[in-house]
Amino acid sequence: MDEKIAKTLKSSETEDWLDLHVVRPFCYYWALLFARLDIHPNTVTILSMIIGAGSAVFFGCASYYYAGTEGLLLNIVAILMLCLADIFDCTDGQLARMTGKKSHLGRILDGLAGFTWFVPIYLAMTYRFYQHHTLEFQWLGIDDTPHNVLVATVVVFALALVSGFMGISGQQRLADYYIQIHLFFLKGDKGAELDNSKRQQEIYDQMDAQTPWAERRFQKSYIGYTKQQEASTPQFQRLMALLRQKYGTPDASGAARTLYAEHIPQTIRDEFRRHSLPVIKWNGLLTFNFRSAWLFLLCLLDVPAVYFVWEIVGMGLLCLYVNRRHEAFCRKMADAIEV
């Protein structure tokens, strides 16, 4: 990879093959364009949100089986729009690192981008099932009556809720956390955005009436986001507490200790990276590329509701595997430090 492009990445270790060799180089040239136009990274993130959410209109109307070539074209437009949204979502980070225009709000917006896309998309897919469900009814031997359509749509809507809030939201939240954890041990504090709920609460408490309402609301939601990350990783939290106690820097009162990656012995950082690197490869499957490939395939096959089942079961098992494996080596390292 070109050295100029590499400098705009968080780390090559946290990128999957497609991102590293195709998406990120492409995004680099978008970042160059936005930099020359003096467009702020947060503006690119918001543009990504609008495009991704807008794809829902086409996902909701597209169907080759029911509408022929026109339906297929609408599917393709939806897929291209969501891919463009992801490209801009990748571009904003590269643009921020290229121009030095990093911001706390940008970090929050970046975490919310995917959720902003998929809420309307999942609602649109539920509506699409309500309109077009012949294939599924034939497979399941269900009579196509108004009552059965209503009941089936309610079930699909429930699956969409579980898929959205417990599936993509929880899975990508955890995947993002593991990436930042890996970067913390690999590149130190400056190379990672490893946030914690206590610090985010302090930032929120320092906001006053002059702080824009939207920024306060985003910050409040981000506190919940980080708390959920921490609740899913008890053994990692235990490891960090032990490292903080042993290598952290006491504050002025001596009541609390701040942990800087640079103060952790390199042997411990290297050991963590050695355990984390194989997990990060699996973790990459929880992010956009692998997930969206299944979404696109099942939408093109005109069974979008099946995607919700796949995300709950298939992606859910993958997320559980990644979480258990990460927690296992964190427990092992914590036990060794505690002895």
Side-chain angles (χ1 to χ4, degrees):
M1 173 177 283
D2 188 287
E3 187 178 345
K4 292 180 180 178
I5 299 175
K7 287 181 178 179
T8 65
L9 304 182
K10 295 175 183 176
S11 166
S12 60
E13 291 186 2
T14 56
E15 303 286 348
D16 64 28
W17 186 92
L18 185 62
D19 275 336
L20 191 62
H21 296 283
V22 180
V23 178
R24 290 299 185 176
F26 186 56
C27 293
Y28 173 77
Y29 293 104
W30 275 107
L32 282 178
L33 175 62
F34 288 135
R36 287 170 184 164
L37 295 175
D38 196 28
I39 296 175
H40 196 279
N42 291 354
T43 304
V44 179
T45 308
I46 293 170
L47 183 60
S48 163
M49 292 178 174
I50 293 170
I51 295 172
S55 70
V57 176
F58 298 93
F59 275 116
C61 300
S63 172
Y64 177 70
Y65 181 82
Y66 300 98
T69 303
E70 181 181 350
L72 176 62
L73 290 175
L74 290 174
N75 250 325
I76 292 173
V77 169
I79 290 170
L80 291 176
M81 287 183 68
L82 189 54
C83 287
L84 182 60
D86 178 63
I87 287 169
F88 283 180
D89 187 46
C90 293
T91 298
D92 60 4
Q94 289 179 256
L95 177 62
R97 286 183 284 274
M98 180 186 294
T99 60
K101 295 180 179 178
K102 296 182 180 180
S103 67
H104 182 65
L105 179 60
R107 168 67 178 145
I108 297 173
L109 287 173
D110 191 55
L112 292 174
F115 196 66
T116 305
W117 304 338
F118 285 101
V119 167
I121 288 173
Y122 284 16
L123 290 174
M125 288 167 63
T126 302
Y127 172 76
R128 177 171 164 174
F129 174 82
Y130 175 75
Q131 293 290 104
H132 306 299
H133 46 261
T134 303
L135 280 173
E136 292 89 338
F137 275 29
Q138 287 177 348
W139 292 346
L140 298 173
I142 300 174
D143 293 330
D144 194 353
T145 65
H147 176 266
N148 287 344
V149 170
L150 180 61
V151 171
T153 303
V154 170
V155 171
V156 170
F157 179 68
L159 289 173
L161 287 177
V162 175
S163 181
F165 288 99
M166 294 180 63
I168 186 171
S169 178
Q171 293 162 11
Q172 291 200 321
R173 180 174 60 239
L174 192 63
D176 177 64
Y177 195 44
Y178 285 148
I179 289 170
Q180 298 307 325
I181 290 170
H182 187 85
L183 291 171
F184 175 78
F185 283 89
L186 174 67
K187 304 183 74 173
D189 297 274
K190 293 182 180 180
E193 297 170 332
L194 185 58
D195 298 323
N196 63 78
S197 58
K198 182 180 178 181
R199 176 57 186 152
Q200 298 314 307
Q201 184 66 55
E202 290 172 353
I203 293 173
Y204 180 77
D205 293 340
Q206 291 168 5
M207 293 179 172
D208 54 26
Q210 305 302 316
T211 306
W213 175 87
E215 187 173 344
R216 294 200 308 272
R217 186 70 189 88
F218 278 133
Q219 182 62 30
K220 187 70 174 177
S221 68
Y222 195 55
I223 295 170
Y225 183 86
T226 52
K227 282 184 176 179
Q228 289 174 310
Q229 288 176 324
E230 292 162 357
S232 301
T233 55
Q235 291 302 320
F236 172 71
Q237 304 309 318
R238 175 180 165 232
L239 173 61
M240 289 295 284
L242 290 169
L243 291 172
R244 190 177 298 110
Q245 180 182 352
K246 195 166 185 177
Y247 304 109
T249 302
D251 64 11
S253 66
R257 302 178 73 87
T258 301
L259 180 65
Y260 296 101
E262 289 74 13
H263 294 166
I264 301 173
Q266 191 62 45
T267 53
I268 294 178
R269 293 175 61 178
D270 289 344
E271 182 185 359
F272 190 96
R273 175 178 172 272
R274 180 171 59 83
H275 289 300
S276 176
L277 194 56
V279 179
I280 285 295
K281 302 304 181 185
W282 287 100
N283 188 69
L285 297 179
L286 295 173
T287 55
F288 180 82
N289 293 335
F290 184 70
R291 183 185 305 276
S292 61
W294 282 96
L295 173 65
F296 299 160
L297 174 64
L298 293 170
C299 282
L300 288 170
L301 292 175
D302 285 313
V303 286
V306 176
Y307 175 76
F308 299 141
V309 178
W310 162 250
E311 189 163 66
I312 294 168
V313 179
M315 297 296 289
L317 289 173
L318 175 61
C319 185
L320 181 63
Y321 171 75
V322 170
N323 179 241
R324 292 289 179 85
R325 189 166 170 181
H326 198 278
E327 285 287 279
F329 80 73
C330 286
R331 180 189 297 109
K332 182 178 179 181
M333 290 188 65
D335 288 344
I337 292 172
E338 206 168 30
V339 172

